[in-house]
Amino acid sequence: MTGLPMVVPEAGLPERVTIYEVGPRDGLQNEQALVPTEVKASFVRQLLAAGLPIVEATSFVHPKWVPQLADAAELMTGLSADLGDRARELPVLVPNDRGLDRALDLGLRHIAVFASATETFAAKNLNRTLDSQFAMFEPTVARALAAGLDVRGYVSMCFGDPWEGPVPVEQVVTVGKRLLDLGCQQLSLGDTIGVATAGHVKALIAGFGRAGVGVDRLALHFHDTYGQALTNVHAGLQAGVTTYDASAGGLGGCPYARSATGNLATEDLVWFLTGLGIEHGVDLQAVVDASTGMAAHLGRPSPSAVVRALAQSPA
Amino acid sequence: MTGLPMVVPEAGLPERVTIYEVGPRDGLQNEQALVPTEVKASFVRQLLAAGLPIVEATSFVHPKWVPQLADAAELMTGLSADLGDRARELPVLVPNDRGLDRALDLGLRHIAVFASATETFAAKNLNRTLDSQFAMFEPTVARALAAGLDVRGYVSMCFGDPWEGPVPVEQVVTVGKRLLDLGCQQLSLGDTIGVATAGHVKALIAGFGRAGVGVDRLALHFHDTYGQALTNVHAGLQAGVTTYDASAGGLGGCPYARSATGNLATEDLVWFLTGLGIEHGVDLQAVVDASTGMAAHLGRPSPSAVVRALAQSPA
């Protein structure tokens, strides 16, 4: 067997998908052992070389909250020295005005902000209410847009919340619409604890459609906690969504979720899309090499089925 | 969070699905360390008590080939003593006339035979050619039907083969049709090495449809080697198939596949179907308890995402 599936398209799916790689930021942010900046830079470069069109590189959050990403400016400076304008196109998470100042100082062009779809997670993660969280983003997003930057809006806990249980579709749509109204170009709808199933995904996309938000404004961000991430992508594809977040090697996970299983692995997504004949532009083996290197650095194997299968020698 | 997802149906899917549990047979057959018969019997009883409607209990194959299942008669005798007629309804794999004699002696009512969709696997697994394998089943199936038994026909390597690569749909349909022509009531189409993706699944089902074989005659048997098993179930549901094989805890795997990752875990399937609001009649936690007990006996954790998530304490 080669390392790729047979290609058999399914009728009605998009011809092309954009994979939004979040491994260096979302994947690493909860790692306790500090990863050296040069290892992170090498990881980002490998992911770009593998053909991933978008690699979210780091977060300009306060080091007190995410010590792992305290080297954000150093990382981006180093990448800019190597990659020039290509580095300045890499998106970074920016939680507030101070983070934006740092991104602007470095000449970065794409930022992302982070909202919660639930009251409890807004309180725990942002120390705000569901309503008052927007006051935190508003000036940041406005200044970023005025400076000509693109802004992505993450929405977390879009399907279930560990404290509140199932999250109503209309509540998620309300939060997402407010981010779009602030000027975000794209929403990333996150299943932070991995409880979404396929019908729920379609229902959420339909809810946004009823509110006038088309699939071209939506990205989907699934966690594989209950093994559902790829079926949720399948549902998203059938509903017409063409941007999917994934993390090389399945790095990452939510500290509030019940399991260590984290983000959808980029490799599992690439395998799936390849089998369906959907263009993605990514070299699977190159992503496996990148994530395997990072896994070796972190000292534990990837949870990705594709990585485990391809890492073994043929029968 | 409870241990179950929010229920949001997807339009157009079946209302009810039959889960065909293969853990005690397919799951255990390649385990090197012999599992005591009483542990197997307890496992079968737990799976039945969890609501699984069909539990394939063992195989009457020659002990030389599958030493783990050398206690088949002893297991079935013990289960009959406990469960009476319920035990005699449990299907068993029967490779030949001698196996059928043993099944008939015990008063069993459901058998399964095993065919290959490829020349190479027929040679390696059955020591036959693709064509001559049928001569092996024919008298066995005929005698079983004459005795009033139901016969299921497994077809392995229905999507890819580790030696031959992608397997043409028409080749699988030809093999499957021959099993049906012999009198098998149901085909179980196996993705033995886990390389199927969703479009391929729909293409295979459509191929059988063109040959006059409806979805009511088909079951799907996926392996999670590349993390694709549930998306393949999703595709199968959308094509109307209502019987899915699964193995409690994801026990098992093909010795010819590249990875240790084996059968689709019953728990992952139950979680998925529950989220879609599809009736299955199975108590998820009871299956987790059964497979966790077996995993402890075997000395390694389940690869199932759902088992791992539910085994952890809530946040």
Side-chain angles (χ1 to χ4, degrees), chain A residues 73-268:
Chain A
E74 187 188 349
L75 174 66
M76 296 312 295
T77 302
L79 287 171
S80 292
D82 280 0
L83 304 171
D85 283 347
R86 185 85 179 89
R88 286 182 282 276
E89 297 298 324
L90 302 177
V92 296
L93 195 66
V94 158
N96 53 32
D97 260 358
R98 188 175 305 179
L100 178 59
D101 288 338
R102 297 168 70 199
L104 290 171
D105 284 347
L106 289 161
L108 306 184
R109 311 300 306 154
H110 297 268
I111 68 163
V113 298
F114 198 89
S116 170
T118 69
E119 199 69 70
T120 315
F121 193 61
K124 290 192 183 267
N125 199 48
L126 303 171
N127 202 25
R128 299 275 174 147
T129 66
L130 189 53
D131 193 63
S132 72
Q133 67 178 332
F134 295 98
M136 195 167 93
F137 313 132
E138 197 164 16
T140 306
V141 173
R143 280 181 59 219
L145 294 172
L149 274 58
D150 280 339
V151 183
R152 171 182 242 221
Y154 281 100
V155 185
S156 58
M157 304 293 177
C158 290
F159 297 90
D161 171 293
W163 304 279
E164 300 183 18
V167 179
V169 162
E170 297 314 321
Q171 183 174 320
V172 181
V173 171
T174 300
V175 170
K177 277 279 281 180
R178 282 187 68 170
L179 285 170
L180 292 174
D181 289 346
L182 291 180
C184 289
Q185 280 89 356
Q186 183 178 63
L187 295 179
S188 170
L189 305 174
D191 182 18
T192 315
I193 58 170
V195 295
T197 47
H200 200 166
V201 172
K202 291 185 176 178
L204 183 60
I205 297 166
F208 274 100
R210 285 193 301 274
V213 179
V215 289
D216 57 312
R217 307 294 294 277
L218 302 180
L220 296 170
H221 181 115
F222 295 119
H223 281 223
D224 211 23
T225 321
Y226 297 87
Q228 308 294 312
L230 272 189
T231 53
N232 291 335
V233 171
H234 194 212
L237 291 169
Q238 293 178 336
V241 174
T242 58
T243 301
Y244 295 87
D245 297 2
S247 175
L251 276 172
C254 174
Y256 301 103
R258 282 177 129 183
S259 161
T261 312
N263 287 292
L264 169 61
T266 307
E267 293 90 337
D268 294 9

Side-chain angles (χ1 to χ4, degrees), chain B residues 1-25:
Chain B
M1 298 297 293
T2 67
L4 290 172
M6 182 171 169
V7 176
V8 186
E10 175 180 313
L13 301 191
E15 289 181 14
R16 173 169 254 309
V17 149
T18 299
I19 302 178
Y20 186 109
E21 170 66 41
V22 298
R25 195 276 302 170

